[in-house]
Amino acid sequence: MLNKARLNKIGLNKFMVKKLLLIGLMTLPLISHAQTAEEQGLQVAKDGEAYDAGFVDFTANMLMTLKNKKGDTSSRQIRIRTLEVVGDGDKSLSIFDQPADVKGTAMLTYSHGLKPDDQWLYLPAIKRVKRISSRNKSGPFMGSEFAFEDLGSQEIEKYSYKLLREEACGEFQCFVLERIPAYKYSGYKRQHVWLDKEAYRMIKADFYDRKNELLKTLTSTDYQQFLGHYWRPRKMEMVNHQNGKSTTLLWTDYAFKTGLTNRDFKSQTLKRAR
Amino acid sequence: MKALVFFLCIAVFSAPVMAFEYSGNIAAEYQLFPQKAQFENQLDNNLTFSFKPKVTKTWNKGNDQLSIELFFRADDKDAERNHADIREFKWLHVNGSHEWRVGVDTVFWGVTESQHLVDVINQIDRVEGIDGEEKLGQQMINFTSIQDWGTLHVFVMPGFRESTYPSQQGRLRLPLVVDSSQTVYESADEENNIDYALRFEHYIGDTEFGLSWFDGTNRDAGFIPGLDANGEPVLIPYYSQMTQFGLDLQSIAGDWLWKLEMIHRDSTEESFNAMTAGFEYTCFGILDSPVDMGVLLEYSLDDRNMNSGIFDNDVFVGFRFAFNDVQSTDILAGFIMDTDLKSQSLRVEASRRLGDSWKFTGELQFFDQIADSDPLKAFESDDYLLLELAKYF
């Protein structure tokens, strides 16, 4: 999987293509014609997905800190469990520990590509599990600068892609991709994402609103590698350029292949999720 | 019951030492009734305090869980509202796709907002509000089997909880005080009748549905006029035996949530059908703001043809505003009109978090043009404003 991904990537580098052509690798049909920027963008996205495939499941704790223009802060604590689903979007469970008035609230999402996600919410105050509409992609998550669509599972078919350029991004070399949401009701006209060329870590993303004006920038740092392969950031910061607010996510206690199964991601067991 | 509590205590203390999780809230509530009371001795305002602690302990990789949730309200003016309850005191055991719950628990069934027809497991804690959402804990053994073809719940409920009713001083009460010390049951076992229920639930695509059956003591009381120890006229609650079949269904179509609840109830006194059907339509991000506005419309029908029931031919219109702000501000306004009697009621609820762990809730309730034959007539002068400040932990 990895080798194929790397081979495909070679197609993006004209110098490499020439070199390969010179040594007579004419049998590789993928690089036998010049790819358009769209094809190249899609290829990078696919390679990125292939790189992260096979994580099976992971759990982590998320501390979300909201900051307004004056510098006042407010925090939320959420435990996240994600199960990889082959051939469809992932299943994920979020359990809220803070603020105290929503403690015990749990949200279950079965994400799908372009089809609307299936989503359930458990409200502990009245012990009610509610199936909810997942149409609210662009709304703020818990009053933060992250929209629901920023935190959802990122399937290939959710966007159309274009490789804009390759450039240095901090300590890494990055692909700069333009992603245009293909799903309905996105709050964005387009996104520019910086993915490092080695492991497809998302280093930075710019979000443009429906009027095509720069709305937010997400910066992910302190990447840590798990199981000798999968990279996850320990810090993500979303800055809203239009309202001056920002939200920081601090991720701790990442664990992979924890043995979660489909049974841990059922609406019927939501009310006992801990 | 005592044996059950003993068993649960053993379960707690024999469990491996693990941290208990604590949560809950403590709240001060002020209720103001601006109109002159209809009945003698009724209060005009009331400051009360409530405490709702919850302790959970989980062990055996989450396959065993003990949860205890208690509720206390201190009320100086209404002795019946000065009460405590065990909302939950149960042991949960998970064995693969099977789950056992033993003890006291609170269960919610259904999908509609204006009333909760199919929701029959728990008795309503009526002194806590007229919306039926505060409920008394029910003792039960509940077995659940979660399968790909759906989920089946089996309930065996040894023992019945009587509803709470306001005292003579309380507002939102019937013209005569309900005297629960003289309660009459149809069952020879009285409150020790064993009740049974089954529920099957499943979802197919965007549609969720539940089919339920209940056999046992009717949670809704009938009333017999009588006299109390001092010879004063009172209402004596009468609990019949009943069988109820229920159906609840909800379907999502984009911004639309379609909802239906239907019941058929048979008791010695009556046999009837009732339903609530409607939708909730949400406009996400109105006027380019983060605010979501939901519009709710529900119609309720009851075929008892008494032309005086609540929700017998009623239309509910509601508006829900979720501000999606840092403080999670929410407003829900609901208007109910009886299309036969033209009785109307309006209720507005709003809540907002203050800081990280406080929450402010406000509630306004109006009754208007209540027909003489409407049971709501007793509440006609009980418009109220309720303010609550709660500290969560």
Side-chain angles (χ1 to χ4, degrees):
Chain A
M1 187 77 99
L2 196 57
N3 283 339
K4 192 177 153 218
R6 285 188 187 277
L7 268 181
N8 291 345
K9 214 168 74 190
I10 289 166
L12 299 167
N13 184 321
K14 280 179 187 157
F15 174 72
M16 289 295 286
V17 171
K18 271 185 194 160
K19 204 170 165 187
L20 284 168
L21 288 171
L22 276 173
I23 56 170
L25 271 172
M26 300 293 284
T27 49
L28 277 177
L30 266 175
I31 55 166
S32 64
H33 68 282
Q35 283 183 304
T36 63
E38 284 78 9
E39 286 168 338
Q40 291 173 332
L42 178 63
Q43 196 57 56
V44 172
K46 281 184 176 169
D47 294 346
E49 191 182 61
Y51 185 92
D52 206 47
F55 69 83
V56 184
D57 70 61
F58 82 86
T59 63
N61 295 340
M62 181 172 102
L63 172 66
M64 180 182 249
T65 307
L66 284 58
K67 201 159 148 190
N68 69 11
K69 230 191 260 178
K70 287 187 285 178
D72 303 331
T73 61
S74 173
S75 61
R76 287 102 177 75
Q77 250 173 346
I78 302 161
R79 281 172 288 145
I80 311 272
R81 294 171 197 166
T82 298
L83 181 71
E84 185 178 22
V85 178
V86 179
D88 198 357
D90 298 338
K91 294 181 178 180
S92 78
L93 176 64
S94 309
I95 303 166
F96 297 81
D97 291 329
Q98 257 184 14
D101 63 300
V102 297
K103 195 170 179 173
T105 303
M107 189 166 73
L108 175 68
T109 307
Y110 292 180
S111 45
H112 304 298
L114 295 179
K115 215 181 111 206
D117 298 343
D118 300 332
Q119 210 159 51
W120 294 264
L121 190 65
Y122 172 62
L123 303 166
I126 51 170
K127 304 183 195 296
R128 179 174 178 179
V129 176
K130 247 179 155 172
R131 175 82 176 263
I132 57 171
S133 169
S134 61
R135 143 85 169 78
N136 190 14
K137 300 279 185 203
S138 60
F141 178 81
M142 298 286 289
S144 75
E145 295 313 310
F146 283 85
F148 281 91
E149 62 188 308
D150 304 337
L151 294 166
S153 149
Q154 306 285 323
E155 278 73 50
I156 293 284
E157 60 270 33
K158 281 190 168 167
Y159 304 92
S160 64
Y161 303 84
K162 188 174 174 182
L163 179 68
L164 297 178
R165 58 187 182 272
E166 294 169 28
E167 65 181 26
C169 49
E171 55 186 304
F172 303 107
Q173 282 296 311
C174 278
F175 296 116
V176 186
L177 284 192
E178 181 172 76
R179 305 200 298 196
I180 295 174
Y183 52 91
K184 278 188 190 167
Y185 312 117
S186 173
Y188 309 121
K189 174 102 176 171
R190 58 196 172 101
Q191 303 172 358
H192 286 176
V193 300
W194 279 256
L195 299 176
D196 92 272
K197 293 170 81 167
E198 237 170 75
Y200 304 91
R201 284 160 284 199
M202 191 194 273
I203 307 299
K204 189 177 123 170
D206 281 337
F207 299 85
Y208 293 82
D209 66 15
R210 290 182 195 128
K211 293 175 196 134
N212 208 12
E213 276 162 34
L214 181 62
L215 176 64
K216 303 187 292 193
T217 297
L218 172 68
T219 316
S220 301
T221 51
D222 298 352
Y223 270 94
Q224 194 183 351
Q225 197 174 26
F226 297 90
L227 304 180
H229 182 75
Y230 305 100
W231 292 91
R232 291 291 182 274
R234 273 178 290 193
K235 187 176 174 188
M236 294 165 85
E237 189 176 25
M238 184 73 93
V239 177
N240 187 317
H241 304 291
Q242 296 183 3
N243 65 16
K245 295 180 189 174
S246 67
T247 299
T248 307
L249 305 185
L250 290 179
W251 293 87
T252 55
D253 305 295
Y254 272 117
F256 283 75
K257 295 189 176 166
T258 62
L260 291 171
T261 65
N262 268 318
R263 205 174 277 150
D264 300 300
F265 296 87
K266 284 195 174 261
S267 58
Q268 295 86 350
T269 58
L270 200 52
K271 63 183 172 202
R272 65 172 172 82
R274 282 287 177 282
Chain B
M1 197 57 200
K2 271 182 193 157
L4 192 65
V5 171
F6 176 74
F7 168 70
L8 286 168
C9 289
I10 295 287
V12 186
F13 295 113
S14 63
V17 182
M18 257 187 76
F20 286 91
E21 279 176 65
Y22 298 92
S23 59
N25 69 72
I26 184 159
E29 178 195 275
Y30 180 71
Q31 236 180 336
L32 177 71
F33 297 90
Q35 291 158 296
K36 190 181 177 301
Q38 251 188 98
F39 313 116
E40 247 181 288
N41 300 326
Q42 281 186 305
L43 53 85
D44 292 320
N45 59 69
N46 202 2
L47 176 66
T48 64
F49 300 90
S50 68
F51 178 44
K52 194 176 189 177
K54 179 162 185 170
V55 183
T56 311
K57 186 184 175 73
T58 304
W59 69 99
N60 186 16
K61 292 176 185 164
N63 289 320
D64 284 289
Q65 201 177 88
L66 179 88
S67 44
I68 305 170
E69 186 178 305
L70 307 175
F71 177 79
F72 304 90
R73 177 166 309 277
D75 189 325
D76 274 347
K77 293 184 178 173
D78 182 343
E80 293 298 322
R81 217 167 161 249
N82 190 30
H83 72 304
D85 183 46
I86 301 170
R87 298 289 199 240
E88 230 180 278
F89 194 143
K90 70 160 191 279
W91 170 51
L92 160 74
H93 179 67
V94 180
N95 181 10
S97 54
H98 293 165
E99 299 177 0
W100 289 91
R101 285 173 176 80
V102 180
V104 173
D105 203 3
T106 307
V107 174
F108 184 95
W109 293 352
V111 293
T112 58
E113 305 298 328
S114 56
Q115 71 163 339
H116 305 297
L117 279 175
V118 303
D119 192 28
V120 288
I121 295 292
N122 293 85
Q123 180 60 271
I124 294 168
D125 195 356
R126 285 191 170 75
V127 294
E128 282 301 315
I130 52 173
D131 61 3
E133 286 186 352
E134 281 296 326
K135 296 184 286 190
L136 299 172
Q138 171 66 50
Q139 51 273 44
M140 68 174 72
I141 297 166
N142 165 213
F143 168 74
T144 299
S145 175
I146 302 167
Q147 304 297 338
D148 292 336
W149 42 262
T151 300
L152 184 70
H153 302 274
V154 181
F155 295 86
V156 177
M157 294 164 277
F160 169 75
R161 302 294 311 276
E162 279 188 67
S163 181
T164 55
Y165 293 100
S167 67
Q168 195 184 25
Q169 286 69 31
R171 285 290 188 109
L172 300 159
R173 69 164 169 88
L174 298 169
L176 294 176
V177 173
V178 176
D179 183 359
S180 296
S181 69
Q182 302 187 62
T183 300
V184 179
Y185 293 91
E186 181 183 350
S187 167
D189 295 327
E190 303 197 317
E191 75 267 35
N192 295 319
N193 188 69
I194 298 176
D195 299 347
Y196 302 91
L198 291 173
R199 179 175 167 84
F200 172 77
E201 56 193 20
H202 195 37
Y203 74 96
I204 297 170
D206 295 327
T207 302
E208 308 249 333
F209 63 92
L211 287 166
S212 53
W213 169 83
F214 172 93
D215 185 72
T217 307
N218 193 340
R219 271 57 181 148
D220 295 333
F223 295 104
I224 307 165
L227 297 174
D228 69 5
N230 304 320
E232 296 291 329
V234 290
L235 292 174
I236 298 167
Y238 166 72
Y239 292 100
S240 62
Q241 288 293 300
M242 73 162 195
T243 304
Q244 175 170 309
F245 294 93
L247 163 74
D248 54 272
L249 195 141
Q250 181 186 282
S251 194
I252 296 185
D255 310 346
W256 296 83
L257 259 69
W258 295 92
K259 299 169 175 200
L260 171 70
E261 287 193 28
M262 284 173 90
I263 59 162
H264 172 78
R265 185 183 291 182
D266 276 315
S267 62
T268 318
E269 293 74 33
E270 59 183 3
S271 173
F272 70 97
N273 301 297
M275 67 137 213
T276 299
F279 65 79
E280 177 166 356
Y281 172 77
T282 308
C283 306
F284 294 99
I286 51 168
L287 305 170
D288 259 332
S289 72
V291 181
D292 297 335
M293 184 183 78
V295 181
L296 298 96
L297 186 73
E298 289 179 7
Y299 173 68
S300 290
L301 188 67
D302 183 323
D303 72 357
R304 270 174 288 189
N305 198 25
M306 44 201 246
N307 205 25
S308 61
I310 300 172
F311 293 111
D312 62 338
N313 190 4
D314 290 22
V315 175
F316 164 82
V317 183
F319 292 92
R320 193 201 298 277
F321 293 91
F323 286 79
N324 291 315
D325 55 350
V326 176
Q327 305 307 331
S328 305
T329 310
D330 270 316
I331 300 175
L332 175 65
F335 172 79
I336 298 175
M337 188 168 106
D338 186 308
T339 57
D340 299 321
L341 303 172
K342 312 297 177 208
S343 302
Q344 299 166 12
S345 69
L346 172 72
R347 180 193 185 88
V348 182
E349 297 170 10
S351 69
R352 181 177 167 82
R353 186 183 312 113
L354 304 173
D356 276 334
S357 62
W358 294 81
K359 192 172 173 179
F360 170 78
T361 308
E363 204 175 292
L364 264 173
Q365 172 82 49
F366 299 101
F367 299 98
D368 195 28
Q369 296 178 39
I370 306 296
D372 289 344
S373 61
D374 195 311
L376 277 180
K377 189 74 184 169
F379 297 175
E380 197 184 19
S381 305
D382 294 344
D383 291 354
Y384 69 82
L385 166 72
L386 181 153
L387 303 172
E388 188 194 68
L389 184 63
K391 162 78 181 170
Y392 285 80
F393 51 87

